[in-house]
Every structure is written in structure tokens, then in C-alpha cells.
Amino acid sequence: MSIENNLQAVLKSIPIHVTLVAVTKTKSVDEILTAYNAGQRDFGENKIQEMTAKYELLPKDIRWHMIGHLQSNKVKYMAAYVHLIHGIDKFSTLKEIDKQAKKHNRIINCLLQVYIAEEETKYGFDQDEIVALLESPEFKNLQNVNIIGLMGMATFTDNEHQIRKEFKLLARFYHKLQAVYPNFKCLSMGMSSDYLIAIDEGSTLIRVGSAIFGERYL
Ligand SMILES: *Cc1c(COP(=O)(O)O)cnc(C)c1O
């Protein structure tokens, strides 16, 4: 299957209100252009330097999503152009994004990463930490970041029941917050192997790499 065919197949399988972010980490500029020429505009990367190198070479109407774990000292490289930062898991990162966004006279949209998986390795806040963060005066002082929702990753497993349970939990928490925070409009959950379950449970944005571009070998 070609990139174009894979992209069309994914788009056909999802409702119109769900945003597809095509995840291009390790993939070439030519491969990204193939998806771009087929109409795709939202792309995701997990390393700031790789994303910035690609940003410089590619059309400027691409919306770049940072989906990886963040190192604060690299935020400055993407502050001028990033569309949405998904993986906020520390208040200090948010502070740095606010500082860099100010320099560019921008308000940068961000998602808080919620820890939903059973594995020890996944990053993110728990629910109490998120409630505390959103209510803290330190957070309310930040003028140049806008939290528009949540992001989560399910446990890496074939157990569909387990994955569904985790997505359900995240969606429930998201809807609870949405009732209090009108800015909330994005729930980023679902990847190649589980995006149909995620959408079923209320995802509004999926991050899909290998189902479009094939396996990653790097
Ligand atoms: C790589 C990655 C994806 C996409 O994974 P696929 O299984 O290739 O669809 C989604 N989300 C994050 C955070 C990733 O790092």
C-alpha cells in the first residue's frame, strides 16, 4: 500500500470531527510531502530538533504537533511555529513555553498528558495533579499558554478490554474538566493500533504513524 492509499483508508475509517495527526518521526521530507500533496496538513513529531529541521524545509501551512516528551531547554526552537504541544507533564515545562511564547508574541496551545497506562514508563500527571495545576495561581499567571485539553497513551498491550478501560477513564476525566474549563476542546488519544477504540470512547484527535507511513526501522 502507498502512503496516499493508507492515508485515505485511515481518513475513511474516522468521523469528520476527529482530527488526524500524521506522525512522521524518522520519516523523510519526501514522505511527508507525499501526504501533504494528498491533502494532509496536521503532522506530528516527537523530537523538537527533527521537527524544526522538517518545518524549515516544508510548506508553511503545515500545522506541527509536538507529541513527544519535552526537554525545556529545546522549547525555544519550536516556539515560533508549533501548532499544539501534546505532552506537557511538568509545570516547569509550561512555564518555559509561556516564556518562549511571549518572545514571539504568541499564545501556544497545549495539552496536559495524563498517566493512564499500567506501565511504569509512561509520562504524565495523575488526575489530582491536573486539577491542582489548573487551579493554582502560578498557572493562572501564565498569559501565553492556553490549555485546550488532555493527551494520553494506553498500555502497550493486545488486550483490547484493558485499552478501552484506560481510554474510558481518560474521556470521563476530560468531560468532567470540560464542564469547568470552556477552553477544553481537544482529547488526544489513539495511535495506529488503537485509534478506533479511542474514537469510540470519545477521542477528538488521533496520532497515527505506522498505519500511514509503514513501520519505523530507526
Ligand atoms: C510514535 C507515536 C505515535 C504514533 O505511533 P504509531 O503506532 O506509529 O501510530 C503516537 N503518539 C506518540 C506519542 C508517538 O510517540
Side-chain angles (χ1 to χ4, degrees):
M1 287 279 269
S2 67
I3 290 172
E4 290 99 326
N5 289 344
N6 292 339
L7 182 63
Q8 287 317 317
V10 172
L11 285 170
K12 254 171 88 172
S13 69
I14 67 175
I16 192 92
H17 68 269
V18 172
T19 301
L20 169 64
V21 173
V23 176
T24 48
K25 59 195 188 198
T26 78
K27 299 297 173 182
S28 69
V29 162
D30 281 348
E31 288 169 294
I32 300 174
L33 265 179
T34 302
Y36 178 89
N37 289 331
Q40 180 64 24
R41 289 296 179 272
D42 290 274
F43 290 93
E45 290 279 337
N46 69 338
K47 296 204 177 85
I48 293 173
Q49 272 147 323
E50 184 176 344
M51 183 170 81
T52 300
K54 289 170 175 172
Y55 161 76
E56 280 165 5
L57 295 170
L58 282 156
K60 294 299 172 279
D61 61 340
I62 288 178
R63 294 182 287 270
W64 288 101
H65 296 249
M66 174 41 57
I67 62 171
H69 184 246
L70 290 162
Q71 286 172 273
S72 285
N73 60 335
K74 295 189 179 147
V75 166
K76 57 178 177 281
Y77 300 118
M78 64 174 172
Y81 71 89
V82 68
H83 176 69
L84 179 62
I85 302 176
H86 291 235
I88 308 293
D89 65 351
K90 282 200 282 318
F91 179 70
S92 60
T93 310
L94 219 44
K95 247 172 77 176
E96 175 65 14
I97 294 168
D98 182 69
K99 181 175 140 194
Q100 298 299 333
K102 228 172 234 112
K103 290 186 188 167
H104 296 277
N105 207 11
R106 297 185 69 206
I107 293 173
I108 296 182
N109 288 334
C110 298
L111 305 176
L112 300 175
Q113 184 163 358
V114 189
Y115 180 88
I116 53 170
E118 281 193 334
E119 297 133 295
E120 281 299 318
T121 50
K122 295 268 156 65
Y123 298 103
F125 296 104
D126 67 30
Q127 298 193 5
D128 291 343
E129 289 170 329
I130 287 185
V131 170
L133 186 152
L134 291 171
E135 309 219 310
S136 69
E138 291 86 356
F139 168 69
K140 289 177 180 166
N141 270 337
L142 304 182
Q143 301 293 313
N144 292 64
V145 291
N146 185 22
I147 305 288
I148 62 163
L150 305 176
M151 179 263 208
M153 287 168 85
T155 303
F156 186 70
T157 172
D158 287 336
N159 182 347
E160 188 175 315
H161 175 77
Q162 173 77 23
I163 293 169
R164 189 176 287 280
K165 193 175 79 183
E166 292 171 3
F167 284 155
K168 207 183 274 297
L169 209 82
L170 179 56
R172 190 176 302 149
F173 182 50
Y174 171 75
H175 287 119
K176 229 163 78 182
L177 292 174
Q178 209 178 24
V180 186
Y181 299 99
N183 285 355
F184 271 49
K185 58 182 179 200
C186 181
L187 178 57
S188 168
M189 63 182 195
M191 336 199 328
S192 291
S193 59
D194 57 19
Y195 71 84
L196 290 175
I197 306 173
I199 291 170
D200 205 32
E201 294 301 333
S203 169
T204 71
L205 181 154
I206 57 173
R207 309 174 310 270
V208 177
S210 47
I212 298 170
F213 298 100
E215 294 300 315
R216 288 176 294 272
Y217 301 103
L218 295 173

